[in-house]
Amino acid sequence: MSFAHLPELALVGLVFFAAGVVKGVLGMGLPTFAMGFLGLLMTVPQAAGLLTLPSLLTNLWQGLVGPGLRPLLRRLWPLQLAIVVGVAAAAWLPLPNEGLGRQLLGACLLAYGVGGLAGWRPRRPRPGREALASTIAGVTTGLVTGLTGVFVLPAVPYLQWLRLDRDALAQALGLSFSTSTIALAALLAARGELGMAASLQSALALVPALAGMAVGQRLRSHLSEAGFRRCFLVGLVLLGAWAIVAGG
């Protein structure tokens, strides 16, 4: 690659670093943030190819690294299994219009984030019904993932609904996003839609994404529970607004 490409490479690296910081602080948002800016530099398929490894490996790191892994797996395994079932079921459904799907998703995130900032908090599911609630949320998340490629709803509001502390919530999000990413990759491979042409570029993009995520996690450790909750909800509002604009 010639030196003429260095400014573009630097911009791509900066985008992935910033996206990693967002994910490190909020536990989510890397694909949405990165796609929004990469779309100014390259085509959507090229940007999606670059996101493959950074998205998967940052999710695995976020989900698997931490002292709360075993209790979270014991508590959330119905959600993870149901996500896989939902993605598999989506293979039998027609694909929706991409723009409309993004706008609906953005509207849901925006409404939930604004409601949370206004003080609205849904009741936690009863202890005996949490497995059922996890199953319903997981199947629905899997269907949305398989149809739109976006795996934040309703998993993100559901996990926040469980009143997990900031570190447990971030780890639970990582687990659910990892499950969704792997299940979606399997679905795309079965459809013959998973290209590997950008694998080298994707591996290179992983470095700034991981560096940014480390910085974001350090920033999160300095936030109070109330501060983290505000950042999380503001993040949902911004991501929702971004999805609405991108889908227009």
Side-chain angles (χ1 to χ4, degrees), residues 22-226:
V22 170
K23 184 172 180 62
V25 173
L26 298 180
M28 58 181 287
L30 186 148
T32 305
F33 183 95
M35 282 294 290
F37 285 96
L38 291 176
L40 302 175
L41 303 173
M42 61 190 69
T43 65
V44 171
Q46 288 175 323
L50 282 176
L51 274 166
T52 303
L53 279 177
S55 180
L56 176 59
L57 294 184
T58 53
N59 284 331
L60 287 173
W61 177 14
Q62 181 177 320
L64 299 179
V65 176
L69 178 59
R70 288 188 178 182
L72 279 176
L73 286 175
R74 284 195 297 268
R75 183 176 183 180
L76 298 177
W77 70 264
L79 176 69
Q80 311 309 315
L81 180 60
I83 288 173
V84 175
V85 172
V87 171
W92 301 94
L93 299 176
L95 295 175
N97 176 274
E98 182 178 354
L100 177 60
R102 286 180 181 272
Q103 288 180 325
L104 290 174
L105 175 69
C108 292
L109 286 174
L110 189 61
Y112 186 83
V114 170
L117 289 171
W120 176 76
R121 300 189 75 177
R123 294 180 180 178
R124 295 176 60 180
R126 296 177 182 177
R129 297 183 179 179
E130 187 173 309
L132 175 61
S134 290
T135 300
I136 294 172
V139 170
T140 308
T141 299
L143 287 170
V144 173
T145 297
L147 294 175
T148 69
V150 179
F151 31 79
V152 295
L153 283 179
V156 170
Y158 174 71
L159 290 172
Q160 209 251 346
W161 185 28
L162 296 179
R163 307 289 202 276
L164 301 171
D165 65 47
R166 60 185 179 185
D167 293 325
L169 176 60
Q171 191 165 14
L173 288 171
L175 286 173
S176 298
F177 291 164
S178 296
T179 301
S180 296
T181 303
I182 294 170
L184 179 62
L187 175 61
L188 293 175
R191 290 174 172 171
E193 299 173 356
L194 187 62
M196 298 301 293
S199 58
L200 177 58
Q201 293 92 330
S202 185
L204 292 175
L206 178 64
V207 176
L210 290 175
M213 188 173 172
V215 172
Q217 288 177 333
R218 184 174 292 274
L219 291 174
R220 172 160 41 93
S221 68
H222 294 292
L223 289 173
S224 65
E225 291 290 342

